[in-house]
Amino acid sequence: MKKENAILKQLLNRKSIRSFTGEHVSDEDLELIFKAAQRCPTSINGQQISLVYTRDKEKIKKIAKLAGGQPQIESADVFVTFVIDFNRTAYAAASIGKTQVIHKSAEGIIVGITDAGIMLSSLQSAAESLGYGTTAIGGIRANIKELIELLELPLLTFPVAGSTIGVPSYEAKNAPLKPRVPLESFVFEDIYDDKKIKVGVEQYEEDLKKFRDDNHMDYLNSYKEQTAGFYENIYFRQIAKYFEEQGFSFKDK
Ligand SMILES: Cc1cc2nc3c(=O)[nH]c(=O)nc-3n(C[C@H](O)[C@H](O)[C@H](O)COP(=O)(O)O)c2cc1C
Protein backbone atom coordinates (compact mmCIF):
# COMPACT_ATOMS: atom_id res chain seq x y z
CA MET A 1 0.00 0.00 0.00
CA LYS A 2 1.24 3.43 -0.90
CA LYS A 3 2.12 5.51 2.15
CA GLU A 4 0.84 8.95 1.34
CA ASN A 5 -0.05 11.64 3.81
CA ALA A 6 -1.06 15.25 3.29
CA ILE A 7 2.51 16.59 3.45
CA LEU A 8 3.89 14.03 1.00
CA LYS A 9 0.93 14.56 -1.31
CA GLN A 10 1.64 18.27 -1.37
CA LEU A 11 5.41 17.86 -1.88
CA LEU A 12 4.96 15.25 -4.60
CA ASN A 13 2.61 17.53 -6.49
CA ARG A 14 4.36 20.88 -6.09
CA LYS A 15 5.06 23.03 -9.09
CA SER A 16 5.91 26.62 -9.86
CA ILE A 17 2.85 28.82 -10.40
CA ARG A 18 3.26 31.71 -12.81
CA SER A 19 -0.32 32.84 -13.26
CA PHE A 20 -2.44 34.30 -10.47
CA THR A 21 -6.06 35.40 -10.21
CA GLY A 22 -5.12 38.65 -8.44
CA GLU A 23 -7.06 37.60 -5.34
CA HIS A 24 -5.68 38.66 -1.98
CA VAL A 25 -3.40 36.69 0.32
CA SER A 26 -4.93 37.42 3.73
CA ASP A 27 -2.81 39.07 6.43
CA GLU A 28 -3.58 36.18 8.73
CA ASP A 29 -2.31 33.63 6.17
CA LEU A 30 0.76 35.71 5.42
CA GLU A 31 1.69 35.83 9.08
CA LEU A 32 1.32 32.05 9.34
CA ILE A 33 3.51 31.62 6.25
CA PHE A 34 6.21 33.85 7.77
CA LYS A 35 6.02 32.05 11.11
CA ALA A 36 6.46 28.69 9.34
CA ALA A 37 9.45 30.09 7.41
CA GLN A 38 11.01 31.34 10.63
CA ARG A 39 10.84 27.83 12.13
CA CYS A 40 13.51 26.71 9.66
CA PRO A 41 16.86 25.58 10.92
CA THR A 42 19.69 28.10 10.52
CA SER A 43 23.42 27.48 10.78
CA ILE A 44 24.57 27.87 14.43
CA ASN A 45 21.11 29.35 15.14
CA GLY A 46 22.57 32.55 13.70
CA GLN A 47 19.24 33.41 12.04
CA GLN A 48 21.20 35.22 9.34
CA ILE A 49 18.22 35.60 7.05
CA SER A 50 15.69 38.42 6.88
CA LEU A 51 12.65 38.61 4.64
CA VAL A 52 11.54 41.79 2.93
CA TYR A 53 8.04 41.46 1.49
CA THR A 54 5.83 43.82 -0.41
CA ARG A 55 2.18 43.97 -1.41
CA ASP A 56 2.66 47.35 -3.07
CA LYS A 57 1.62 46.85 -6.72
CA GLU A 58 4.01 49.50 -7.99
CA LYS A 59 6.93 47.95 -6.11
CA ILE A 60 6.02 44.47 -7.34
CA LYS A 61 5.92 45.88 -10.89
CA LYS A 62 9.39 47.35 -10.38
CA ILE A 63 10.71 44.03 -9.07
CA ALA A 64 9.20 42.25 -12.11
CA LYS A 65 11.10 44.68 -14.33
CA LEU A 66 14.34 44.40 -12.36
CA ALA A 67 14.07 40.61 -12.54
CA GLY A 68 14.69 40.83 -16.27
CA GLY A 69 11.09 41.57 -17.20
CA GLN A 70 9.10 38.67 -15.78
CA PRO A 71 5.43 39.57 -16.28
CA GLN A 72 4.17 36.72 -14.08
CA ILE A 73 5.65 38.45 -11.03
CA GLU A 74 3.33 41.40 -11.61
CA SER A 75 0.22 39.28 -11.14
CA ALA A 76 1.37 38.01 -7.71
CA ASP A 77 -0.24 39.51 -4.62
CA VAL A 78 2.92 39.35 -2.51
CA PHE A 79 6.60 39.30 -3.34
CA VAL A 80 9.11 38.13 -0.73
CA THR A 81 12.86 38.68 -0.98
CA PHE A 82 15.21 36.38 0.97
CA VAL A 83 18.11 38.40 2.30
CA ILE A 84 21.34 37.03 3.79
CA ASP A 85 21.62 39.12 6.94
CA PHE A 86 25.00 39.22 8.62
CA ASN A 87 24.09 42.71 9.80
CA ARG A 88 22.08 41.08 12.61
CA THR A 89 24.95 38.85 13.77
CA ALA A 90 27.55 41.63 13.39
CA TYR A 91 25.46 43.74 15.74
CA ALA A 92 25.22 40.86 18.23
CA ALA A 93 29.02 40.41 18.16
CA ALA A 94 29.75 44.16 18.37
CA SER A 95 27.40 44.53 21.33
CA ILE A 96 29.71 42.28 23.38
CA GLY A 97 32.89 43.87 22.04
CA LYS A 98 33.69 41.29 19.37
CA THR A 99 34.27 41.64 15.65
CA GLN A 100 32.51 39.43 13.12
CA VAL A 101 34.57 38.26 10.14
CA ILE A 102 32.54 35.33 8.81
CA HIS A 103 30.91 37.51 6.10
CA LYS A 104 34.37 37.87 4.58
CA SER A 105 34.69 34.18 3.83
CA ALA A 106 33.46 31.59 1.35
CA GLU A 107 32.08 29.68 4.35
CA GLY A 108 29.98 32.65 5.44
CA ILE A 109 28.48 33.10 2.00
CA ILE A 110 27.66 29.39 1.76
CA VAL A 111 26.03 29.55 5.20
CA GLY A 112 23.84 32.45 4.10
CA ILE A 113 22.85 30.94 0.78
CA THR A 114 22.07 27.54 2.29
CA ASP A 115 19.90 29.05 5.02
CA ALA A 116 18.07 31.23 2.47
CA GLY A 117 17.34 28.24 0.23
CA ILE A 118 15.98 26.16 3.09
CA MET A 119 13.75 29.03 4.15
CA LEU A 120 12.49 29.70 0.65
CA SER A 121 11.34 26.12 0.34
CA SER A 122 9.58 26.16 3.72
CA LEU A 123 7.86 29.44 2.99
CA GLN A 124 6.61 28.10 -0.33
CA SER A 125 5.39 24.85 1.22
CA ALA A 126 3.51 26.77 3.90
CA ALA A 127 1.92 29.02 1.28
CA GLU A 128 0.96 26.03 -0.87
CA SER A 129 -0.60 24.26 2.11
CA LEU A 130 -2.97 27.23 2.40
CA GLY A 131 -3.94 26.99 -1.27
CA TYR A 132 -1.58 29.64 -2.66
CA GLY A 133 0.87 29.29 -5.51
CA THR A 134 4.51 30.41 -5.63
CA THR A 135 7.54 30.64 -7.88
CA ALA A 136 11.12 31.08 -6.73
CA ILE A 137 12.67 34.09 -8.44
CA GLY A 138 16.43 34.07 -8.95
CA GLY A 139 15.91 36.79 -11.53
CA ILE A 140 16.12 39.37 -8.74
CA ARG A 141 19.88 39.09 -9.16
CA ALA A 142 19.67 40.42 -12.73
CA ASN A 143 19.82 44.03 -11.52
CA ILE A 144 21.06 43.50 -8.04
CA LYS A 145 22.22 47.05 -7.33
CA GLU A 146 18.79 48.51 -8.11
CA LEU A 147 17.10 45.87 -5.97
CA ILE A 148 19.44 46.58 -3.05
CA GLU A 149 18.50 50.26 -3.37
CA LEU A 150 14.78 49.57 -3.75
CA LEU A 151 14.73 47.50 -0.54
CA GLU A 152 17.16 49.85 1.24
CA LEU A 153 19.40 46.96 2.22
CA PRO A 154 22.33 47.96 4.46
CA LEU A 155 25.91 46.69 4.46
CA LEU A 156 26.33 43.01 5.38
CA THR A 157 23.04 42.06 3.75
CA PHE A 158 22.50 40.52 0.31
CA PRO A 159 19.33 39.50 -1.55
CA VAL A 160 19.65 35.92 -2.78
CA ALA A 161 16.29 35.08 -4.33
CA GLY A 162 12.63 35.93 -4.08
CA SER A 163 9.26 34.23 -4.16
CA THR A 164 5.91 35.21 -5.53
CA ILE A 165 2.79 34.31 -3.55
CA GLY A 166 -0.71 34.50 -4.96
CA VAL A 167 -3.91 32.62 -5.68
CA PRO A 168 -3.19 30.32 -8.63
CA SER A 169 -5.27 30.59 -11.79
CA TYR A 170 -7.31 27.50 -12.71
CA GLU A 171 -4.98 26.73 -15.64
CA ALA A 172 -1.80 27.06 -13.55
CA LYS A 173 -3.25 24.94 -10.78
CA ASN A 174 -4.14 22.18 -13.20
CA ALA A 175 -0.98 22.29 -15.31
CA PRO A 176 0.96 19.01 -15.50
CA LEU A 177 4.02 18.44 -13.33
CA LYS A 178 7.34 18.99 -15.07
CA PRO A 179 9.22 15.67 -15.14
CA ARG A 180 12.56 15.20 -13.41
CA VAL A 181 15.71 13.23 -14.26
CA PRO A 182 15.28 9.51 -13.43
CA LEU A 183 15.42 8.88 -9.68
CA GLU A 184 18.35 6.43 -10.08
CA SER A 185 20.42 9.18 -11.71
CA PHE A 186 19.57 11.65 -8.94
CA VAL A 187 20.03 9.66 -5.74
CA PHE A 188 22.94 7.30 -5.13
CA GLU A 189 23.59 4.89 -2.31
CA ASP A 190 27.07 5.19 -0.81
CA ILE A 191 28.92 6.48 -3.89
CA TYR A 192 28.27 8.88 -6.73
CA ASP A 193 27.83 7.27 -10.17
CA ASP A 194 28.84 9.44 -13.12
CA LYS A 195 27.69 6.82 -15.66
CA LYS A 196 24.16 6.98 -14.27
CA ILE A 197 24.29 10.77 -14.47
CA LYS A 198 24.98 10.62 -18.20
CA VAL A 199 22.40 7.89 -18.89
CA GLY A 200 19.92 9.96 -16.87
CA VAL A 201 20.57 13.10 -18.90
CA GLU A 202 19.98 11.21 -22.16
CA GLN A 203 16.76 9.71 -20.80
CA TYR A 204 15.56 13.04 -19.47
CA GLU A 205 16.24 14.77 -22.79
CA GLU A 206 13.73 12.37 -24.35
CA ASP A 207 11.26 12.58 -21.46
CA LEU A 208 11.18 16.39 -21.43
CA LYS A 209 10.77 16.59 -25.21
CA LYS A 210 7.87 14.15 -24.98
CA PHE A 211 6.36 16.20 -22.15
CA ARG A 212 6.71 19.34 -24.28
CA ASP A 213 5.06 17.69 -27.31
CA ASP A 214 2.30 15.95 -25.35
CA ASN A 215 1.35 19.22 -23.64
CA HIS A 216 1.87 21.52 -26.64
CA MET A 217 4.40 23.59 -24.68
CA ASP A 218 6.37 24.78 -27.70
CA TYR A 219 8.08 27.44 -25.58
CA LEU A 220 9.78 24.82 -23.39
CA ASN A 221 13.44 24.13 -24.24
CA SER A 222 14.86 20.64 -24.07
CA TYR A 223 17.00 19.99 -20.97
CA LYS A 224 20.24 20.21 -22.95
CA GLU A 225 19.16 23.40 -24.73
CA GLN A 226 17.96 24.97 -21.49
CA THR A 227 20.97 24.23 -19.33
CA ALA A 228 23.57 24.93 -22.04
CA GLY A 229 21.70 28.11 -23.03
CA PHE A 230 22.08 29.47 -19.51
CA TYR A 231 25.32 27.92 -18.39
CA GLU A 232 27.42 28.70 -21.45
CA ASN A 233 27.25 32.27 -20.11
CA ILE A 234 27.66 33.80 -16.70
CA TYR A 235 24.21 35.31 -17.02
CA PHE A 236 24.34 37.64 -13.97
CA ARG A 237 27.77 39.23 -14.09
CA GLN A 238 27.78 41.63 -11.17
CA ILE A 239 27.24 39.32 -8.23
CA ALA A 240 30.83 39.27 -6.90
CA LYS A 241 31.09 43.03 -7.35
CA TYR A 242 27.96 43.77 -5.32
CA PHE A 243 28.73 41.11 -2.73
CA GLU A 244 31.95 43.07 -2.17
CA GLU A 245 30.13 46.41 -2.13
CA GLN A 246 27.80 45.03 0.53
CA GLY A 247 30.82 44.13 2.69
CA PHE A 248 31.19 40.43 1.85
CA SER A 249 34.11 38.62 0.27
CA PHE A 250 34.34 35.08 -1.04
CA LYS A 251 37.68 33.98 0.38
CA ASP A 252 39.07 31.30 2.68
CA LYS A 253 41.14 33.74 4.72
C1 LIG B 1 16.58 29.43 -6.85
C2 LIG B 1 15.55 29.39 -7.96
C3 LIG B 1 15.39 30.48 -8.79
C4 LIG B 1 14.40 30.48 -9.78
N1 LIG B 1 14.22 31.59 -10.53
C5 LIG B 1 13.16 31.67 -11.38
C6 LIG B 1 12.85 32.88 -12.05
O1 LIG B 1 13.53 33.90 -11.91
N2 LIG B 1 11.76 32.90 -12.83
C7 LIG B 1 10.97 31.80 -13.03
O2 LIG B 1 9.97 31.90 -13.74
N3 LIG B 1 11.23 30.63 -12.40
C8 LIG B 1 12.30 30.54 -11.59
N4 LIG B 1 12.57 29.37 -10.91
C9 LIG B 1 11.66 28.21 -11.06
C10 LIG B 1 12.26 27.09 -11.93
O3 LIG B 1 12.28 27.53 -13.28
C11 LIG B 1 11.40 25.84 -11.78
O4 LIG B 1 11.50 25.40 -10.44
C12 LIG B 1 11.81 24.71 -12.71
O5 LIG B 1 11.58 25.07 -14.06
C13 LIG B 1 11.03 23.42 -12.44
O6 LIG B 1 9.64 23.65 -12.60
P1 LIG B 1 8.63 23.33 -11.42
O7 LIG B 1 9.06 24.12 -10.23
O8 LIG B 1 7.27 23.77 -11.93
O9 LIG B 1 8.69 21.87 -11.18
C14 LIG B 1 13.58 29.33 -9.96
C15 LIG B 1 13.77 28.22 -9.12
C16 LIG B 1 14.74 28.24 -8.15
C17 LIG B 1 14.90 27.05 -7.23
Side-chain angles (χ1 to χ4, degrees), residues 106-126:
E107 174 60 14
I109 291 177
I110 289 175
V111 160
I113 290 172
T114 306
D115 288 2
I118 290 170
M119 199 172 286
L120 188 147
S121 178
S122 254
L123 177 136
Q124 292 193 329
S125 292

Side-chain angles (χ1 to χ4, degrees), residues 54-79 143 147 150 164:
T54 184
R55 289 179 174 284
D56 180 325
K57 290 280 165 238
E58 280 311 304
K59 232 177 192 174
I60 293 179
K61 227 179 190 177
K62 261 188 207 154
I63 292 170
K65 206 170 153 205
L66 291 179
Q70 297 200 38
Q72 87 275 7
I73 296 175
E74 284 185 37
S75 70
D77 192 52
V78 179
F79 191 87
N143 291 285
L147 187 82
L150 184 72
T164 52

